[in-house]
Structure formats: C-alpha cells, structure tokens
Amino acid sequence: MPDGLAYPDRLSLAQLPTPLQPLSYPTLSERRLWCKRDDLTGCLLSGNKVRKLEFVVADAVAQGADTLITCGGLQSNHCRATALVAAQLGLHCQLVLRGEQPSIADGNLLLGQLAGAEVSYYPVRRYHHHLPELLLEHAERLRQIGRKPYIIPTGASDGVGLWGYIAGAQELAAQLNSLNITAPLVVCAAGSGGTLAGLAAGLSFYCPEAHVLGVAVCDDADYFYRRVQDDLAECARRYPSFSLDKPNNFTVVDDYIGPGYAQGYPEMFDTISTLARHTGVVLDPVYTAKAFYGMLQQLRLDKFSTRDVVFVHTGGIFGVYPEREALTR
Ligand SMILES: *Cc1c(COP(=O)(O)O)cnc(C)c1O
C-alpha cells in the first residue's frame, strides 16, 4: 500500500477502524457482499459525518473558533453529529435548519437539542434561496456578542471535510488488502457528495482497481460528477501539497431518489425491513436504504460484474424514528 499523502490536522472523534463485515443477503448468493460499518463510528456520533468533522473541527479549533455554525434539514445527521461534537469539545453550536419547528422534537433534532445546540428554523423557500446569507448573519450576530464562529457547510462537504473519506478509503483499503480483495465495487449514498468524493479520490490512490458507485439521494448524476471535481479542486487550492489526481474510478446513478430527498417509497421501506430481518443491520430511510436498494437493482441488472461488493453503511439510525408510520405499515 502506498503512503505519502500529507494529511492535515485531525481530531480523534470517531471509533476507528470500523468493521468490514460479510453480509449475507438472500438473493445475491453469487456475489460476496460486505458492509463497511460506518454506522459504528460511535453510538451518538453514528455515521459518516464524524469522519469529516475530525478534520473540519480540527481546522475550526486551530482558527480559534468557539462556536460551530452549520445547517441542514430538520432530521440532519450532520447537524446532530456537529452538535454532539461541539458539546464534547466545550464549543457552542448554532444550527440553521430547513423547515418549521415541530411541536415535539424527534430523532436527530431531539439529540441536537439535548446536546445544547441553539436551533433556528427557516421556511423551505427562504432556506433554499438564502442559505449563505443566513449563515453569515448568524456568524455576524455571534461575533457581535464576542464569539468566534466557524461555518461548516452542508454535510461538512468541502475541501477540508473531504479528508474524512480519503482517510476512510485508506482504512478500507487496508482491510480489503488483508482479505486479498483487490478490485471491489464500493457503494455509498451521495447527498452532499463529500463521502463519494473522498472515497473515489482515496481509493484511486490506495486501491487503484476499486470502482465506486454513488447512489444519489437528492440531486442528479451530473451534479455529483461536477461536485466531486469541485471539492477536489478546492482541496488542491487549500493544501498546496495535495497530490491526488482527479479520479475517474466512479459512477453515479440517480434512478433511486423516488419522490425526492427524504421522501420514501415502498421498495425502499421494504429494503429496510428485509435487511434488518436477515442481517441485523438497520438502514436509514433518507440515505442508506435508497443506496442499498439502488445497489441491489444495479447488481440485478448486471451493471457491474465485480464479485466483491462493499456497501458503505453511512449511518442515519436516528432517522428511523420519525418514519415510524411508514415502517410499521
Ligand atoms: C450525510 C449522509 C450521507 C451522504 O453523505 P454525503 O457525504 O453528504 O454525500 C449518507 N448517509 C447518511 C446516513 C448521511 O447522514
């Protein structure tokens, strides 16, 4: 395995390495299916965001920040993880959320509130049209009261957060190497794109025969192809010694979004219960269930001939609870 990537500063926040486990899914007997258990990066910090936050929050602390500002949907896993990390490190946290304040907080929102985050709610249209200004307004307001705010973008997907899954790719490559797997298909959900970008760039370096399949849960495939290149370009600007080539080892499919972001469909809910019953692994309804369902469809269509398939379980367990109705139907 090559070394020689110059990683930026990093905090230790996630439980690493996460296990790479075999997964026996009933209808995929001719393949070897593996699960990279990034839902086990922590109990409350469960999921992929904490990998990115190890680098992003290290950058915030190095800049002297005492308040993390970030944004997302009401059930954002990223906002929950950021709020908990802030509490752990003695930092303040301001969340800028998309949607009406619910009468009772549930799932991720409940945990973010328990962690003491201050939460501001914005109507969907205003949020979509004015997110950058809203974040800057909060930063300015906090500066006025003497705080030192640091804005973390949606999903911590930027040139700093990218390192989370470059490091994740290094970790996965070492595990694959010890199993003598050289050319796997590695599947992840694509939301803000940072996981996909980091995995593609990292694996192109650490496991050059791997191919990455990103399953979009919101925007279309073109968006993600552009997004990966943009994030890598930003990374190269920030870190002059950054030496990863633009990866061409990945594919994005956008056929499994359903009605929209965070909106489910019956096959996807069925996937959650089928996998839970057969393996004890529980997927989330916003990201991983769509990614897993999309992966199954792509394999059934024989789009990828790879024998070893690694599903990256990026977490999201707390998103199950707000979907209790659909999941008990
Ligand atoms: C945010 C998230 C993703 C998507 O990761 P991105 O890096 O934003 O593309 C996937 N799964 C879960 C559970 C998430 O919370």
Side-chain angles (χ1 to χ4, degrees), residues 302-326:
D302 259 326
K303 298 283 183 192
F304 301 90
S305 56
T306 336
R307 177 159 147 83
D308 287 287
V309 179
V310 178
F311 180 77
V312 182
H313 190 331
T314 43
I317 185 65
F318 306 114
V320 161
Y321 302 101
E323 289 291 351
R324 53 176 66 75
E325 276 184 45

Side-chain angles (χ1 to χ4, degrees), residues 1-8 10 51 55 162-178 181-184 186 197-212 242-245 247 249:
M1 171 160 319
D3 50 21
L5 274 194
Y7 283 90
R10 173 181 189 174
R51 283 192 188 269
F55 291 93
L162 191 69
W163 286 100
Y165 270 89
I166 295 174
Q170 181 173 15
E171 180 185 305
L172 174 60
Q175 292 169 320
L176 291 167
N177 192 44
S178 69
I181 299 170
T182 52
V186 177
L199 278 175
L203 287 173
S204 73
F205 186 73
Y206 292 111
C207 186
E209 289 175 65
H211 192 82
V212 181
F242 186 76
S243 57
L244 293 181
D245 295 329
N249 60 345

Side-chain angles (χ1 to χ4, degrees), residues 47-49 52 77-78 155 157 189-196 224 284 287-288 314-316:
N48 60 346
K49 300 309 181 307
K52 309 179 197 187
N77 295 304
H78 163 67
S157 287
S192 62
T195 302
L196 173 65
F224 286 106
D284 85 288
Y287 297 95
T288 50
T314 43

Side-chain angles (χ1 to χ4, degrees), residues 116-168:
E118 286 173 50
V119 185
S120 301
Y121 301 86
Y122 295 92
V124 174
R125 281 180 63 89
R126 176 140 182 246
Y127 181 98
H128 277 305
H129 290 114
H130 300 288
L131 179 60
E133 299 96 291
L134 293 173
L135 293 170
L136 291 172
E137 275 167 32
H138 277 284
E140 187 48 37
R141 177 181 60 75
L142 290 166
R143 255 183 240 110
Q144 303 263 334
I145 60 167
R147 298 261 200 89
K148 296 201 170 67
Y150 181 100
I151 296 175
I152 302 175
T154 306
S157 287
D158 64 5
V160 187
L162 191 69
W163 286 100
Y165 270 89
I166 295 174

